[in-house]
């Protein structure tokens, strides 16, 4: 079957996702239209195609343990000179993203891996372009703000054309617990003493 390159991320919802994607393209980043706007939980990772069912099962478990949380973006940051990246900062929801990414990469799961750099939740808006264009991205988005309730994450696969496509969404929360009215005691079926 071969290998596939996958990633796990939290999508930046509309209208924010498209706006930031268009801005990224406007700064001259050639990858802009091949990468949906997101906060990474698992960077590009090569796995055997036959492992995808185990990957999905693991991600269902991670999502079941998660709960919705507020996400807020504000202002810009950069990883330069260490890495040629300008990003919009995650100023609320970062701790929850860190918790999630640790579980996604758990040593007992199918996506266990070390990271090249310490985890830092962010939304990339420029990567590997000229210094002048990265400076422009940093300045022009310095007052950018967005907020939304994060209710899950998604699994993506990178195609041979370099474009990332969503394979599946994973919503937070486990099975719905029935209300007490539906319990055996409420129906009078529990034995009495």
């Amino acid at each position: 079957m071969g290998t596939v390159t996958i990633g796990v991320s939290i999508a930046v919802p509309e209208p924010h996702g498209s706006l930031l994607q268009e801005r990224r393209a406007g700064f001259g980043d050639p990858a802009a239209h091949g990468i949906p706007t997101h906060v990474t939980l698992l960077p590009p990772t090569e796995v055997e195609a036959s492992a995808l069912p185990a990957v999905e099962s693991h991600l269902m478990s991670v999502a079941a343990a998660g709960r919705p949380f507020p996400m807020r973006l504000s202002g810009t940051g950069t990883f330069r000179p260490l890495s040629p990246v300008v990003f919009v900062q995650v100023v609320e929801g970062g701790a929850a993203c860190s918790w999630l990414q640790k579980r996604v990469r758990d040593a007992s799961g199918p996506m266990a891996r070390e990271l090249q750099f310490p985890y830092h939740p962010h939304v990339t808006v420029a990567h590997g372009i000229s210094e002048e264009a990265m400076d422009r991205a940093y300045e022009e988005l310095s007052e950018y703000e967005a907020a939304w309730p994060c209710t899950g994450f998604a699994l993506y696969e990178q195609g041979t054309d370099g474009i990332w496509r969503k394979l599946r969404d994973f919503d937070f929360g486990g099975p719905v617990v029935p209300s007490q009215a539906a319990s055996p005691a409420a129906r009078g079926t529990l034995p009495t003493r």
Side-chain angles (χ1 to χ4, degrees):
M1 280 183 99
T3 61
V4 293
T5 300
I6 60 169
V8 178
S9 63
I10 296 169
V12 175
E14 295 305 331
H16 315 294
S18 291
L19 185 145
L20 288 175
Q21 189 174 44
E22 289 304 317
R23 294 304 306 269
R24 184 172 179 172
F27 298 131
D29 190 329
H33 290 294
I35 304 172
T37 308
H38 67 281
V39 175
T40 299
L41 298 177
L42 177 76
T45 301
E46 197 171 286
V47 299
E48 291 294 326
S50 61
L52 284 176
V55 165
E56 289 191 13
S57 178
H58 174 68
L59 292 176
M60 284 192 302
S61 296
V62 172
R67 295 293 176 262
F69 59 91
M71 285 281 285
R72 189 165 63 89
L73 309 178
S74 182
T76 50
T78 185
F79 294 132
R80 295 183 293 174
L82 190 59
S83 182
V85 173
V86 171
F87 56 86
V88 174
Q89 297 185 73
V90 173
V91 296
E92 186 175 4
C97 291
S98 292
W99 182 89
L100 284 167
Q101 66 87 27
K102 283 180 191 170
R103 276 139 193 87
V104 167
R105 295 184 306 103
D106 188 84
S108 67
M111 295 169 288
R113 65 165 288 182
E114 294 297 317
L115 298 178
Q116 184 178 1
F117 300 106
Y119 182 73
H120 180 88
H122 65 280
V123 177
T124 299
V125 291
H127 179 244
I129 56 177
S130 73
E131 289 295 320
E132 179 183 90
M134 286 203 285
D135 289 343
R136 209 174 98 228
Y138 188 89
E139 290 301 319
E140 290 182 16
L141 292 170
S142 64
E143 295 183 23
Y144 184 80
E145 299 270 341
W148 70 92
C150 179
T151 58
F153 55 84
L155 172 65
Y156 292 82
E157 180 180 341
Q158 186 178 35
T160 55
D161 56 3
I163 294 175
W164 287 90
R165 293 174 179 87
K166 187 181 347 181
L167 296 179
R168 181 170 176 186
D169 285 311
F170 296 88
D171 294 328
F172 293 137
V176 176
V177 177
S179 68
Q180 289 184 341
S183 71
R187 292 193 307 263
T189 57
L190 284 182
T192 57
R193 292 185 188 185

